[in-house]
Amino acid sequence: MSEDAKKNEEVLEEEKVCEEEEEDASECKDEQKEDEQQSDPEEEALNTKYLRLMADFQNFKRRTEKEKSDIYAFANEKIISELLNVIDNFERALAAGDESDSFYQGMEMILKQLLGVLEKAGASEITALGEDFDPNFHNAVMTEDSTEYESGKVTEVLQKGYVLNNRVIRPSMVKVAN
């Protein structure tokens, strides 16, 4: 055989090999497409499950962080509630005392110091006198006719109320105008 014939024969063989490889490649691509179509629902289910688990985990983290911050914010609530009775007794004693007496002045200083400590802890007094009656902050124990205040206004505070970090720990006991 001549060299040209050998070259033509080699070219023909290479073309056949290339054609066979292309057929194999297209078959592989078809098989991959079929595999992808079959695995797509499985992958979607797994992805959906994964996303739901991530969302649940994020919600869990957020919820536990909120609970933890609430615990820190309201950990002092019980002791502050107990101290409110002591403050009430201080105020009653001061109401019965004489302002010029040095004992009275000492008691007043102690009361101011105690109120300062409560304020640092996040507790504050509920302002009630002359305000509109709000059942969220006030506990109406009496009503009275009043010329000084409009109807629905607090006319007298019988016991002071307090909030701790914007949460009522003791509502104010008040008289309300008719």
Side-chain angles (χ1 to χ4, degrees):
M1 275 209 240
S2 69
E3 280 185 34
D4 287 333
K6 285 183 181 179
K7 285 183 181 178
N8 284 341
E9 200 173 296
E10 287 176 8
V11 169
L12 287 174
E13 283 181 29
E14 284 179 18
E15 286 178 2
K16 286 181 183 177
V17 169
C18 286
E19 286 176 7
E20 288 175 5
E21 287 176 357
E22 286 177 9
E23 287 176 12
D24 289 343
S26 66
E27 287 176 13
C28 287
K29 287 180 184 176
D30 290 341
E31 287 177 13
Q32 286 177 347
K33 286 180 183 176
E34 288 177 15
D35 289 343
E36 287 175 5
Q37 289 173 352
Q38 290 175 354
S39 65
D40 275 351
E42 292 173 11
E43 278 185 33
E44 283 184 35
L46 290 174
N47 282 340
T48 303
K49 187 176 181 180
Y50 172 74
L51 292 174
R52 285 187 179 160
L53 284 172
M54 285 300 293
D56 286 343
F57 182 67
Q58 292 295 328
N59 290 337
F60 171 75
K61 278 177 55 176
R62 232 180 279 126
R63 186 173 52 249
T64 54
E65 286 176 16
K66 184 185 180 305
E67 288 173 358
K68 191 191 239 184
S69 67
D70 285 349
I71 287 171
Y72 287 132
F74 300 108
N76 299 331
E77 183 177 359
K78 185 170 180 157
I79 193 160
I80 289 174
S81 296
E82 296 293 325
L83 287 174
L84 294 179
N85 294 326
V86 175
I87 290 171
D88 290 339
N89 290 332
F90 263 109
E91 289 173 345
R92 286 185 199 107
L94 289 173
D98 182 18
E99 289 184 30
S100 62
D101 187 17
S102 61
F103 181 74
Y104 177 90
Q105 292 170 356
M107 292 280 286
E108 192 172 47
M109 290 169 55
I110 293 170
L111 178 62
K112 285 181 184 177
Q113 185 179 17
L114 185 56
L115 290 173
V117 169
L118 290 180
E119 192 173 310
K120 285 180 185 175
S124 61
E125 183 182 328
I126 297 172
T127 55
L129 188 61
E131 300 286 323
D132 288 330
F133 174 74
D134 184 356
N136 296 318
F137 296 102
H138 307 124
N139 183 14
V141 292
M142 297 175 71
T143 59
E144 66 180 357
D145 294 327
S146 175
T147 57
E148 187 177 342
Y149 295 101
E150 296 175 17
S151 179
K153 298 275 187 182
V154 174
T155 59
E156 185 181 343
V157 178
L158 303 173
Q159 184 181 41
K160 291 181 181 178
Y162 291 87
V163 292
L164 176 62
N165 298 325
N166 298 323
R167 187 165 115 188
V168 177
I169 56 174
R170 184 173 84 178
S172 299
M173 277 200 285
V174 296
K175 284 185 187 178
V176 181
N178 282 334

